[in-house]
Amino acid sequence: MVVPLLLVVLQLAGATSAAALPVVINTWAFRKAAETAWRVLQLGGSELDAVERGCGQCEIDQCDGSVGYGGSPDESGETTLDAMIMDGNTMEVGAVADLRHVKNAIGVARKVIEYTKHTLLVGESASLFAVRMGFPYEDLITQKSLLVYSKWLNQSCQPNYWKNVVPDSSKSCGPYKRPEKVICKEEQTISQRNVQNHDTIGMVVIGGSGTVASGTSTNGAVHKIPGRVGDSPIAGAGSYADSTAGGAAATGDGDIMMRFLPSYQAVEYMRMGTDPTVACQKVISRIQKYAPNFFGAVICANTTGSYGAACNKIPGFTQFHFMVSSPLLSQPTEQVVDCI
């Protein structure tokens, strides 16, 4: 039996979604992630369980090559992972960044909450922690990621994330260094991140009693400078959860978006009674004032189960697709909003 795919278009600015609990909302049309998280809730799992398993499904599936192993090689050809998970009851956060040789980043992030007094672990030390917690140490590089890396080298390392260096990073590969006399160029280009290179699963789960959890997982920006960490593992940037208000998650150009703590800001708007769709739109509008060409979107849900999303309209990205699961829907449903 073929199950028809449902697609709901939310086009009216500020259109309010029907509210019901529990609700699961996640970035992009990552259907299996939504189904997995919803199933966990239906079987009696906690909101944190649902976030961990839902985002973990994308790590297994290598969603669009932008989550999990074998995607987004950095300048040295290595794949590294970032993830976070947040408990909206206790405000505890577990996060890992620049994680190497361990596939289940969101699982390691949860262990940071459960077995340490810390919030964020990074790099090879995070990998060693993961191994202590029982996660296998394995290669994250695949033939596909090697091909992506090789092609990038063959096209003079374009595009990349360097600026104001010698040799000219727009024409050749490095190693780069600081010039003796710095000439800063103003760059007002469209973000290198685009709809074919979206970079995160972000998820918000609100249980039947209004308990909120959120999380993210990503392999970051393709061809990033080694050591780069974006918004995904940063509480308030990649996602944010507060069981007294709601939850939010962001996706897109993390280098820009993390400067504005969009997930935290969206939750604070909802705390003041702002509708989730409007809260998302206000966050996007705030970033637009400083970076009109940024690529990004935000999802929001409040403790009544009402939800919304918003995105920044740029060439090639005029609509944003996301997944919603709730008692009002017969199955996890793909929804879409027009960008602003």
Side-chain angles (χ1 to χ4, degrees):
M1 175 178 152
V2 177
V3 179
L5 300 183
L6 300 181
L7 180 65
V8 176
V9 181
L10 303 176
Q11 291 182 317
L12 297 176
T16 303
S17 65
L21 293 173
V23 65
V24 175
I25 179 171
N26 64 263
T27 55
W28 308 109
F30 296 152
R31 183 173 298 275
K32 283 183 70 177
E35 291 170 345
T36 298
W38 186 248
R39 190 181 314 117
V40 169
L41 285 184
Q42 298 305 105
L43 293 174
S46 71
E47 294 80 10
L48 278 176
D49 293 337
V51 169
E52 180 184 357
R53 290 281 304 282
C55 291
Q57 186 66 52
C58 249
E59 293 173 346
I60 294 167
D61 295 340
Q62 301 168 281
C63 286
D64 283 341
S66 60
V67 180
Y69 70 99
S72 301
D74 65 18
E75 275 196 344
S76 62
E78 185 174 8
T79 294
T80 59
L81 308 179
D82 302 333
M84 70 156 284
I85 190 167
M86 183 166 185
D87 183 333
N89 279 351
T90 65
M91 306 308 286
E92 289 178 296
V93 174
V96 290
D98 195 27
L99 181 71
R100 300 150 188 267
H101 302 290
V102 178
K103 290 181 177 179
N104 184 200
I106 188 91
V108 181
R110 184 158 184 195
K111 293 295 184 285
V112 173
I113 288 181
E114 294 176 339
Y115 296 103
T116 83
K117 297 177 184 178
H118 297 311
T119 292
L120 172 63
L121 299 179
V122 301
E124 196 61 45
S125 296
S127 304
L128 294 174
F129 167 78
V131 171
R132 286 183 188 173
M133 293 293 104
F135 292 87
Y137 192 85
E138 50 198 329
D139 199 348
L140 302 187
I141 297 171
T142 62
Q143 281 301 119
K144 184 176 179 181
S145 67
L146 284 174
L147 283 172
V148 170
Y149 179 58
S150 178
K151 181 180 177 183
W152 178 74
L153 288 176
N154 289 334
Q155 57 193 32
S156 301
C157 302
Q158 304 301 311
N160 61 61
Y161 290 90
W162 292 88
K163 66 179 185 180
N164 304 323
V165 292
V166 291
D168 187 341
S169 60
S170 68
K171 296 176 183 176
S172 65
C173 295
Y176 307 107
K177 63 180 182 179
R178 185 171 59 119
E180 296 203 6
K181 186 175 182 181
V182 177
I183 302 172
C184 292
K185 300 180 200 171
E186 285 294 321
E187 294 188 21
Q188 281 293 329
T189 56
I190 296 291
S191 172
Q192 289 181 29
R193 313 301 285 280
N194 56 51
V195 74
Q196 284 79 39
N197 178 30
H198 46 70
D199 61 331
T200 312
I201 178 166
M203 180 176 284
V204 175
V205 174
I206 304 181
S209 62
T211 293
V212 185
S214 70
T216 64
S217 185
T218 184
N219 53 33
V222 65
H223 313 311
K224 64 194 173 192
I225 298 170
R228 178 264 188 189
V229 175
D231 63 330
S232 297
I234 307 302
S239 79
Y240 196 71
D242 185 335
S243 295
T244 67
T251 184
D253 189 334
D255 288 298
I256 291 174
M257 296 182 77
M258 70 190 298
R259 303 167 193 169
F260 298 88
L261 296 178
S263 297
Y264 172 79
Q265 188 67 55
V267 171
E268 291 308 301
Y269 283 137
M270 289 188 288
R271 185 191 308 283
M272 294 186 289
T274 304
D275 173 82
T277 297
V278 176
C280 284
Q281 290 172 341
K282 289 178 75 169
V283 165
I284 293 295
S285 296
R286 181 166 175 254
I287 303 173
Q288 283 173 335
K289 292 176 185 175
Y290 297 89
N293 295 321
F294 87 98
F295 166 64
V298 180
I299 56 172
C300 303
N302 67 21
T303 51
T304 71
S306 182
Y307 60 85
C311 50
N312 185 40
K313 185 177 181 180
I314 56 174
F317 184 56
T318 59
Q319 291 186 322
F320 172 59
H321 295 247
F322 61 103
M323 295 296 301
V324 178
S325 309
S326 98
L328 301 178
L329 302 168
S330 61
Q331 65 186 56
T333 303
E334 182 180 341
Q335 305 203 4
V336 58
V337 291
D338 290 325
C339 296
I340 59 174

